[in-house]
Amino acid sequence: MRKNSVKNRRINDEVMRSIAQIIRESKDPRVSKMTSVMAVEVAPDLKTCKVYVTVLGDEEVQKTTMEGLKKATGFIRTELAHRVNLRNTPELHFILDDSIAYGVSMSHRIDEVRAEDEKAEEVREEKGIDINDTSAYVKPLDDEEE
């Protein structure tokens, strides 16, 4: 089975849906209720599975949630075996996915750069500087220098 085959995508989707439901139903106090399963990558041989998880909260909440998930791996795997009929129940590896936080921080940086550009444009307008006027930036060549 190829990694991007239809069968593999269907298995990934079903495993992701089941693991998200198992985590939601979990009674472990260490696992935050604001935990989302972002993606799942089941190996083509169905032996291993990477589960990318996002936890809403500060670093301490994320750390305790990841510890709780790692301790509950056996339980989650057993429940997964009951819910999804696979030849092999994959070994689960939970990975904290911080792509959403990274995206938010990049969005803030872009907003800051735009605000600085708007301020610079206002200053240029006040001083009467035309940004499209290249004569201010390019030194004219004299005929004698050529």
Side-chain angles (χ1 to χ4, degrees):
M1 176 171 55
R2 291 188 323 252
K3 188 171 185 172
N4 293 329
S5 69
V6 174
K7 182 178 179 184
N8 194 280
R9 275 186 268 141
R10 286 177 52 204
I11 289 172
N12 287 343
D13 291 343
E14 187 62 32
V15 169
M16 183 171 84
R17 194 175 309 116
S18 296
I19 289 177
Q21 189 175 20
I22 293 166
I23 290 173
R24 218 175 306 122
E25 295 170 357
S26 171
K27 294 181 178 135
D28 191 344
R30 295 174 291 190
V31 178
S32 170
K33 295 298 177 189
M34 300 302 289
T35 303
S36 301
V37 177
M38 299 304 292
V40 169
E41 291 179 7
V42 179
D45 63 355
L46 304 177
K47 297 287 185 186
T48 60
C49 175
K50 294 179 184 176
V51 182
Y52 295 94
V53 187
T54 298
V55 181
L56 186 65
D58 60 352
E59 287 186 29
E60 186 63 33
V61 172
Q62 291 176 353
K63 184 179 176 184
T64 57
T65 298
M66 291 307 292
E67 288 174 2
L69 287 174
K70 287 180 181 173
K71 293 288 184 181
T73 300
F75 169 75
I76 295 171
R77 186 175 181 200
T78 303
E79 282 296 311
L80 182 65
H82 291 305
R83 295 178 188 206
V84 180
N85 186 16
L86 294 173
R87 179 178 54 232
N88 297 320
T89 303
E91 182 181 328
L92 303 175
H93 300 282
F94 290 98
I95 300 168
L96 184 62
D97 183 18
D98 59 353
S99 62
I100 292 177
Y102 178 75
V104 169
S105 70
M106 290 305 292
S107 178
H108 286 299
R109 289 180 184 174
I110 290 170
D111 291 341
E112 290 172 2
V113 169
R114 283 185 178 169
E116 288 175 12
D117 284 349
E118 288 174 4
K119 280 184 182 179
E121 182 64 31
E122 289 173 5
V123 170
R124 281 198 283 305
E125 286 177 3
E126 287 176 6
K127 293 184 177 183
I129 299 172
D130 184 12
I131 194 167
N132 296 323
D133 182 19
T134 58
S135 64
Y137 304 108
V138 178
K139 179 180 172 186
L141 290 174
D142 293 333
D143 292 333
E144 296 141 12
E145 290 181 13
E146 293 178 5

